[in-house]
Amino acid sequence: MSILTPAVTDSDQLHRDALTVLQPGFVGTTMPEWVRRHLAAGLGSVALFARNVVDPEQLAALTAELRSVNPDLLIAIDEEGGDVTRLEVGSGSSWPGNLALGAVDDTALTRDVARELGRALATCGINYNWAPAADVNSNPRNPVIGVRSFGADPELCARHTAAWVEGLQQVGVAACAKHFPGHGDTAVDSHLGLPMVDVDVDLLRSRDLVPFLAAIEAGAKAVMTAHIMVPALDPKLPATLSPAVLTDLLRGQLGYQGLIVTDGIEMGAIADTYGMGPGTVMALAAGADAICVGGGSTEEETVLELRDAIVEAVRSGALSEERLADAAQRVRTLGSWARIEAQGQLAEPDLAIGLRAARRALRVVRAPGRAFPPVTERPYVVSLSDQPNFAVGDDTPWGLSGLLTARFPGTRTAKVDAADAAPEALDATVARLLAEAEGRSLVLVVRDAHRYDWMTAVLERVLTARPDGAVVEMGVPQAAPAGALYIATHGAARVLGLAAVEVLTGQ
């Protein structure tokens, strides 16, 4: 060793490994100085969200800046397509989401969509995507999965999860199947609380685990854990913190050898129950290799807190040094794979594939004996909406108001929420809508109407008076309501809205 080269001490390596396993986010469209320092000190991943994105050119410059400090850096994003988009948060996604692809049920098309979305990521320097959602949406009232799932059929979810993984990784972007062992049968959003999946092992194996097996067989480079309680697997600890789930089941019984990453450690299910620092240590000890943190916690202090919690846990014996070293090496291995695979992969995505898939995803029902004339001039568009879940966020536009207004200047629009449909306000709300819609084509746009009694009440009252109205469901579809025309888009992506407008205008 040269006397000019400082020796790497065990303490240095411990701190480096502790940084390597963290996947933090930050605020801003350029690299903060604190991120630069920690990349030089060993940070193995960063997480980008909509707050970091202006346009593809800016994003490519940011990722190049980040990678100049660590060429093997994993640059992660949560880009599912469909309702969950970070690249196109200002406009809505050019790619239909999972439920739409499951409705078409053409695995070649799913593979094509994932490949082209992957190209959009790769051209911006993203090499690691926290997608696809492999959850089976077995609970139709699920508040956090819904259209993010390919559907309620385990085998359908399995074949499309595999196709999505294959398509994304064809262009050198690592796929991450989530949320293991399955978040589809929950009634609580894990951003806010700790959900329970209280079913027996046989049902888990025949339903929830099926798509994850397909993802493993397809070569998924990463699997993300779910912050859920599954008593049949571990009666005491949530999956993210459970050796029985991560080491015994995922590593042992299912044979998975890739990277295991947690869902956001700052989410309420973990942070409010165990604390971020203790939760991080428990997750690593249970078998996780990387800690996602940054959806909500974006300060350097969070990174330091978690790094120090890991280091102290190793020194106290709560976390073995070998387990930490193994986790850090898995992160570095995936970073090296991504750097090599990215070479020669840059190509512009084919956006036509997204619209073609969106058109095929539509389910159109025309009521016998009722006519809905094509919209040819200023319609009246009513959007009925509740709060989106945290994964979708409230910054991404959805619905048809903007699309129809752009095509037909003078289009009238209205928004209705739960307060407008309260018992004391319902009569006045319906009367107002009917008066404003008089003499115009009426289009009612909803998202997950089956989950909200108030939304169903407004639909029923308005359509009783205007049976010539059209309903466009942009969430998980159920039975068609009693209007003249019903269009189920299977998601609220912009491209699905464009396909619905084509039907409404007779194209």
Side-chain angles (χ1 to χ4, degrees):
M1 179 182 297
S2 167
I3 60 174
L4 299 178
T5 303
V8 177
T9 67
D10 290 344
S11 179
D12 290 337
Q13 189 60 49
L14 177 57
H15 280 79
R16 177 171 290 272
D17 286 349
L19 277 175
T20 297
V21 301
L22 300 179
Q23 298 189 343
F26 57 88
V27 174
T29 55
T30 57
M31 178 171 57
E33 185 56 37
W34 70 263
V35 173
R36 182 186 299 276
R37 291 198 311 273
H38 291 305
L39 287 173
L43 189 65
S45 313
V46 295
L48 302 183
F49 292 87
R51 61 184 175 238
N52 307 115
V53 179
V54 174
D55 54 42
E57 293 73 25
Q58 168 270 327
L59 184 55
L62 171 59
T63 58
E65 187 182 17
L66 291 163
R67 199 166 279 114
S68 70
V69 186
N70 178 1
D72 283 350
L73 181 67
L74 286 172
I75 302 180
I77 203 164
D78 193 7
E79 182 63 42
E80 299 176 14
D83 289 33
V84 181
T85 180
R86 313 307 178 199
L87 290 184
E88 298 179 277
V89 68
S91 61
S93 182
S94 299
W95 313 102
N98 284 4
L99 189 66
L101 294 171
V104 178
D105 197 13
D106 179 343
T107 54
L109 180 65
T110 295
R111 192 175 295 108
D112 288 346
V113 166
R115 182 190 65 239
E116 298 309 312
L117 185 150
R119 283 183 170 144
L121 293 172
T123 58
C124 296
I126 306 293
N127 58 12
Y128 172 40
N129 190 9
W130 288 323
D135 308 291
V136 179
N137 196 52
S138 53
N139 183 345
R141 301 187 73 85
N142 192 310
V144 69
I145 302 301
V147 298
R148 302 168 65 198
S149 166
F150 290 108
D153 181 334
E155 294 298 334
L156 178 143
C157 291
R159 58 182 174 265
H160 288 279
T161 294
W164 215 98
V165 166
E166 291 164 357
L168 189 72
Q169 294 187 171
Q170 280 178 8
V171 293
V173 178
C176 179
K178 61 187 183 185
H179 308 80
F180 186 83
H183 210 312
D185 191 9
T186 58
V188 173
D189 186 339
S190 52
H191 293 87
L192 305 174
L194 183 57
M196 175 82 68
V197 178
D198 195 6
V199 299
D200 61 34
V201 171
D202 289 341
L203 182 54
L204 287 169
R205 291 189 179 279
S206 64
R207 184 187 66 185
D208 301 273
L209 297 183
V210 173
F212 290 98
L213 278 168
I216 292 169
E217 292 173 359
K221 294 297 180 180
V223 168
M224 177 178 281
T225 69
H227 300 332
I228 59 174
M229 288 295 300
V230 188
L233 300 176
D234 189 327
K236 295 182 179 180
L237 294 172
T240 293
L241 310 183
S242 170
V245 175
L246 302 188
T247 298
D248 299 345
L249 177 59
L250 183 54
R251 289 276 189 234
Q253 297 177 40
L254 303 188
Y256 178 65
Q257 295 304 311
L259 186 79
I260 299 176
V261 59
T262 70
D263 206 345
I265 206 70
E266 76 275 19
M267 291 165 59
I270 300 298
D272 294 345
T273 307
Y274 298 90
M276 290 175 58
T280 291
V281 171
M282 293 173 71
L284 291 168
D289 306 304
I291 307 297
C292 168
V293 54
S297 299
T298 58
E299 303 300 325
E300 180 182 15
E301 287 74 15
T302 300
V303 175
L304 295 174
E305 174 192 345
L306 299 188
R307 181 203 65 183
D308 293 348
I310 295 168
V311 169
E312 178 57 32
V314 171
R315 288 174 173 165
S316 70
L319 175 66
S320 76
E321 190 168 359
E322 293 76 17
R323 171 78 274 273
L324 176 61
D326 173 65
Q329 186 55 47
R330 289 180 188 274
V331 174
R332 297 183 187 113
T333 297
L334 183 55
S336 178
W337 173 90
R339 173 180 52 79
I340 294 168
E341 290 295 313
Q343 297 172 9
Q345 289 285 5
L346 295 185
E348 291 298 317
D350 183 357
L351 297 178
I353 288 176
L355 183 55
R356 186 158 64 245
R359 288 167 174 158
R360 292 181 62 187
L362 298 188
R363 176 162 68 92
V364 179
V365 179
R366 300 182 187 275
R370 293 179 186 166
F372 181 84
V375 175
T376 57
E377 57 183 355
R378 307 168 301 167
Y380 185 57
V381 184
V382 182
S383 301
L384 288 76
S385 64
D386 213 285
Q387 290 295 318
N389 70 55
F390 277 75
V392 174
D394 56 10
D395 295 328
T396 305
W398 76 281
L400 305 184
S401 296
L403 297 173
L404 285 168
T405 299
R407 183 168 298 200
F408 303 109
T411 293
R412 294 195 69 173
T413 65
K415 293 183 178 179
V416 178
D417 60 22
D420 298 317
E424 65 276 11
L426 182 58
D427 287 345
T429 295
V430 171
R432 172 176 61 85
L433 297 177
L434 293 173
E436 293 177 351
E438 188 172 355
R440 295 172 180 256
S441 298
L442 173 62
V443 180
L444 299 152
V445 187
V446 299
R447 184 152 68 174
D448 289 339
H450 68 282
R451 291 182 53 219
Y452 304 103
D453 293 339
W454 71 263
M455 206 177 290
T456 301
V458 173
L459 283 178
E460 290 176 348
R461 293 280 295 272
V462 172
L463 290 174
T464 297
R466 284 289 304 267
D468 61 327
V471 176
V472 180
E473 170 61 85
M474 304 194 82
V476 178
Q478 304 295 316
L485 176 67
Y486 175 74
I487 304 171
T489 61
H490 299 94
R494 175 178 54 85
V495 71
L496 292 165
L498 288 171
V501 167
E502 290 179 342
V503 175
L504 290 168
T505 56
Q507 297 179 9

